[in-house]
Amino acid sequence: MQEDKLYKIKQGEKKILEIFDRFCKENGLNYSLFAGTALGAVRHKGFIPWDDDIDVCMTREEFEKFYEIWGEREVEGCYMQSKRHPEYPLNHEKIRSTESELKDIFIDIFPLDKLPIKKSLRKKMLFKAKLRLIYTRNYPYKAGGKILELASRMLLSLPKKTKKKIKKSCDAYVTKYKDMEKDFEYICLTCPDDLRYKYPQTIMRDLQPISFEGDDFTISSEYDTMLKILYGDYMVLPPENERVAKHIDFED
């Protein structure tokens, strides 16, 4: 039954979120529920009924602390999929369960990077971010029109060693402004669609508790701003034909 599988996945993901939340609190790390999970917490007090994953975000500075501390110790019941695995095809990390046989149980951790307001700096950083996406995911960039798609196909035809070198350079560049104190916006650079959304530099300054499936977790105090940027009038439900799980393979 699809509903049974979705329920089991949600239960497993909430357990991972509880472990993640506890780990962050024990180590003085800040995070916020993000994207569909933030929307679910605000609009439904928990999961969006048809949602099948959990999203959280951290500033790049907090994420790097988290990544280092998590890497120093084993966290019971979980493991991290990350850039430590050479063939991992994403620019953000996933925390997965070691206790479930279902492959669909995970939470996504999205770093928020600083994007300069200055046009020339912004343009170069976004170019580097798109180039990094091409070489991380290893398929053409289709979010910017036919010319960009054609150019990305040519870039993918380069020798493997050259691609690896370019990607390493881009990885370093997109975090270049992490110490910037003003004249920036936050942006999530992990997938093509996210490049459209820019958040004010105060978006992660203040955090507050919010109820999610009966327990308190953490969300940006500017969640209204965040959700309007992502979804517009976010309290309006989408059409019924769009109320579907996006990550589950119900045939497994």
Side-chain angles (χ1 to χ4, degrees), residues 33-66:
L33 301 184
F34 187 52
T37 307
L39 176 57
V42 173
R43 194 172 68 192
H44 304 274
K45 307 300 181 187
F47 281 99
I48 296 171
W50 53 91
D51 200 7
D52 59 355
D53 71 339
I54 287 180
D55 302 318
V56 300
C57 66
M58 310 176 87
T59 65
R60 175 62 65 177
E61 301 97 307
E62 290 295 287
F63 174 77
E64 288 185 351
K65 293 176 193 173
F66 166 80

Side-chain angles (χ1 to χ4, degrees), residues 9 39-40 42 59 65 74 76 91-92 95 97 115 127 129 138 197 199 208 215 226-227 234 237 248:
I9 285 172
L39 176 57
V42 173
T59 65
K65 293 176 193 173
E74 288 188 13
E76 187 175 353
N91 286 316
H92 69 277
I95 303 295
S97 171
L115 179 69
F127 170 77
N138 204 34
Y197 306 118
Y199 308 95
Q208 68 180 62
D215 290 305
M226 176 195 290
L227 294 176
Y234 59 85
L237 293 174
I248 300 176

Side-chain angles (χ1 to χ4, degrees), residues 185-200:
E185 295 175 301
Y186 277 111
I187 187 171
C188 181
L189 298 170
T190 60
C191 64
D193 287 344
D194 287 332
L195 302 189
R196 296 180 290 162
Y197 306 118
K198 284 85 177 177
Y199 308 95

Side-chain angles (χ1 to χ4, degrees), residues 1-11 102 250:
M1 291 285 292
Q2 293 185 0
E3 289 184 4
D4 290 342
K5 184 172 183 180
L6 183 57
Y7 174 79
K8 289 178 182 177
I9 285 172
K10 288 180 177 181
Q11 292 299 107
L102 293 173
F250 286 111

Side-chain angles (χ1 to χ4, degrees), residues 91 129-137 141 189-192:
N91 286 316
K130 291 173 184 176
L131 194 56
R132 183 176 73 142
L133 283 169
I134 292 167
Y135 286 140
T136 301
R137 296 181 173 230
Y141 190 92
L189 298 170
T190 60
C191 64

Side-chain angles (χ1 to χ4, degrees), residues 115-132:
L115 179 69
I117 296 294
K118 188 175 180 182
K119 189 174 180 180
S120 59
L121 300 179
R122 172 180 293 236
K123 187 175 180 181
K124 185 172 182 180
M125 183 168 168
L126 289 174
F127 170 77
K128 294 280 189 178
K130 291 173 184 176
L131 194 56
R132 183 176 73 142

Side-chain angles (χ1 to χ4, degrees), residues 8 18 47 84 88 107 109 120 149 159 165 193 199 224 232:
K8 289 178 182 177
E18 290 168 356
F47 281 99
R84 288 192 176 101
Y88 182 62
I107 70 170
I109 307 174
S120 59
E149 181 181 347
K165 185 177 180 181
D193 287 344
Y199 308 95
D224 180 65

